[in-house]
């Protein structure tokens, strides 16, 4: 057995597919390569909860490219997990057959609770704060994870049935951006969060971090404005600036990367609901997310096997 082997973690999200290949070290791991592709699997989810052929093809193309990278790096351990869209899809068996054939490795469709735990671990693994209470948010394509914990230990884990792709298609499908659209999207998201508000507020937190593309898009907006703090006021200002642009075609003027524009308003509406219902004042960008959590889990399992 290699002393410091290479491992690969793959996250089949509802918006993007991610591949992280790393080498184990005496202090954890070193990233060798990362790859992300906007597959937007949830975009192909029909009203009957079947993922359409176009989305399946996009997923297979991505996984075939991941397979080539894995072959090149030759990790000794590969783990692939799938999240909300695969949990929902009624043609999941068909999807898994196609995706596993393209990738060459088995795919584990994980529960929302397991997903939330991995996200929390990935977001907090590099923290050096003793006994700090944390709130971690991850707005995915078809689900949103809200996790409260202390240091690297999650205590309250919830996965909600809303995501940036689903909300974008439901409330901003015509590419227009209006206050009425945002109001409807925020109200719908708030209705899902409100029953959990007391639980999270009782737990409390000293800091909040965001671990998904919505937060990276807002980070781009911060840089464009020469600002550094992602406050609640700034998040609301981004909504008003988006409405002022009036159309998705003009969002790049806010500093948002082209590959994040397509689902930006859907994710932003969900975030505004989270900020409002949970009374969040400011948010930091997390260093890691699900795939980093998966790597830490794989390394911990390896250590137990060697003990």
């Amino acid at each position: 057995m290699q002393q410091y082997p290479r491992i690969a973690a793959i996250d089949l999200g509802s918006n993007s597919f991610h591949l992280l290949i790393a080498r184990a070290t005496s202090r954890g791991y070193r990233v060798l390569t990362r790859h992300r592709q906007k597959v937007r699997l949830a975009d192909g989810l029909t009203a009957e909860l079947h993922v359409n052929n176009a989305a399946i093809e996009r997923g297979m193309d991505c996984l075939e490219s991941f397979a080539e990278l894995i072959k090149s790096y030759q990790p000794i351990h590969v783990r692939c997990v799938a999240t909300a869209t695969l949990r929902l899809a009624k043609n999941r068996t068909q999807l898994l057959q196609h995706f596993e054939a393209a990738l060459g490795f088995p795919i584990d469709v994980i529960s929302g609770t397991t997903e939330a735990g991995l996200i929390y671990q990935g977001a907090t693994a590099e923290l050096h704060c003793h006994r700090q209470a944390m709130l971690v948010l991850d707005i995915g394509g078809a689900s949103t994870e809200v996790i409260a914990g202390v240091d690297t230990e999650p205590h309250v884990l919830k996965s909600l049935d809303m995501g940036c792709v689903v909300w974008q298609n439901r409330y901003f499908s015509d590419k227009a951006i209006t206050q009425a659209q945002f109001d409807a999207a925020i109200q719908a998201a708030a209705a899902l969060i409100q029953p959990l508000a007391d639980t999270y507020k009782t737990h409390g937190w000293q800091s909040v971090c965001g671990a998904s593309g919505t937060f990276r898009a807002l980070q781009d907006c911060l840089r464009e404005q020469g600002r550094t703090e992602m406050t609640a006021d700034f998040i609301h200002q981004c909504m008003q600036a988006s409405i002022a642009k009036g159309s998705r075609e003009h969002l790049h003027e806010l500093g948002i990367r082209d590959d994040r524009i397509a689902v930006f308003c859907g994710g932003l509406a969900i975030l505004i609901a989270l900020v409002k219902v949970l009374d969040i004042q400011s948010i930091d960008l997390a260093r890691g997310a699900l795939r980093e959590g998966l790597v830490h889990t794989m390394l911990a399992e390896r250590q137990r096997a060697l003990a």
Side-chain angles (χ1 to χ4, degrees), residues 35-215:
H35 292 270
R36 173 178 64 91
Q37 189 165 322
K38 290 283 187 182
V39 173
R40 294 187 71 192
L41 200 62
D43 211 25
L45 195 63
T46 68
E48 294 76 27
L49 299 181
H50 283 78
V51 176
N52 64 30
N53 289 334
I56 294 174
E57 289 291 336
R58 292 195 299 271
M60 290 175 64
D61 289 345
C62 175
L63 292 177
E64 286 170 359
S65 69
F66 284 4
E68 289 298 315
L69 287 163
I70 291 168
K71 183 179 179 180
S72 174
Y73 281 88
Q74 296 187 330
I76 67 166
H77 193 184
V78 177
R79 182 171 295 175
C80 180
V81 300
T83 57
T85 297
L86 268 291
R87 289 196 294 267
L88 291 169
K90 291 186 177 179
N91 57 337
R92 179 170 67 182
T93 300
Q94 176 192 356
L95 263 73
L96 288 175
Q97 288 174 347
H98 287 303
F99 286 177
E100 289 179 346
L103 181 63
F105 293 92
I107 298 169
D108 181 18
V109 181
I110 58 175
S111 69
T113 300
T114 298
E115 180 181 1
L118 289 169
I119 289 166
Y120 187 88
Q121 188 169 9
T124 62
E126 306 302 323
L127 291 177
H128 302 287
C129 302
H130 181 62
R131 302 301 297 168
Q132 180 171 325
M134 297 286 302
L135 181 69
V136 175
L137 310 173
D138 189 297
I139 301 170
S143 68
T144 293
E145 282 65 48
V146 184
I147 315 105
V150 177
D151 289 349
T152 59
E153 293 295 324
H155 294 168
V156 184
L157 306 93
K158 297 292 182 182
S159 181
L160 303 174
D161 289 331
M162 59 183 179
C164 60
V165 176
V166 174
W167 249 234
Q168 187 76 35
N169 291 342
R170 189 174 297 174
Y171 298 102
F172 303 93
S173 60
D174 60 0
K175 297 187 179 181
I177 305 172
T178 67
Q179 185 68 61
Q181 288 173 306
F182 263 107
D183 288 346
I186 293 166
Q187 183 178 2
L192 294 178
I193 303 161
Q194 190 63 57
L196 308 173
D198 288 344
T199 299
Y200 283 101
K201 289 179 180 178
T202 299
H203 183 279
W205 54 80
Q206 293 164 273
S207 60
V208 183
C209 62
S212 57
T214 295
F215 301 98

